[in-house]
Amino acid sequence: QWQLVDTGGGLVQPGDSLKLSCAASGRIYSSAVMAWFRQAPGKEREFVSAIRWGTGRTYYADSVKGRFTISRVGAENTAYLQMNSLKPQDTAVYYCAARHGWRVSRTTGEYDYWGQGTQVTVSS
């Protein structure tokens, strides 16, 4: 089992950048997927990005493609989400998640492990 701790949120202005981190308590195996989701007030939790741990292949929601970059450092069992050109509509609580298996899912129900969430607020 993994415990995930996500950090790095904050209050920034439109156009600014933030880098979120998701640290796992144990080794993340190559046959695993880590992802980021976000939930804005009054909205459902939505997929943001995912990475296959073994291959490093990445996946993005259309709304963040070209602005956000997901990465991982295997030796640290840590995933990152670099967020550039932030917009007010990016404001949400961001959660990292992990699942066993090669398949990348954009559905919350298919992830077994979750971080506690970190607030990102983009406002002028």
Side-chain angles (χ1 to χ4, degrees):
Q1 291 188 352
W2 298 313
Q3 289 185 335
L4 306 179
V5 178
D6 38 31
T7 58
L11 171 63
V12 297
Q13 294 186 340
D16 284 353
S17 298
L18 272 178
K19 188 173 185 178
L20 307 183
S21 300
C22 175
S25 59
R27 179 188 172 191
I28 303 293
Y29 296 100
S30 60
S31 58
V33 172
M34 291 193 76
W36 289 94
F37 289 77
R38 67 186 182 186
Q39 188 167 18
K43 295 187 176 181
E44 293 188 353
R45 196 169 297 188
E46 65 175 3
F47 172 82
V48 175
S49 182
I51 186 166
R52 284 184 169 171
W53 201 257
T55 64
R57 183 173 178 178
T58 59
Y59 304 79
Y60 297 95
D62 288 343
S63 59
V64 305
K65 200 172 293 182
R67 300 188 297 122
F68 291 10
T69 303
I70 190 171
S71 61
R72 89 275 194 240
V73 176
E76 298 176 356
N77 296 304
T78 300
Y80 299 94
L81 185 67
Q82 176 68 47
M83 305 185 295
N84 298 329
S85 303
L86 283 161
K87 304 175 181 180
Q89 51 264 46
D90 294 318
T91 295
V93 178
Y94 284 70
Y95 299 88
C96 67
R99 68 182 303 273
H100 297 289
W102 292 100
R103 191 169 64 86
V104 174
S105 173
R106 299 180 181 228
T107 304
T108 57
E110 298 199 17
Y111 287 82
D112 301 309
Y113 308 96
W114 290 87
Q116 80 284 1
T118 184
Q119 176 71 47
V120 173
T121 303
V122 185
S123 175
S124 55

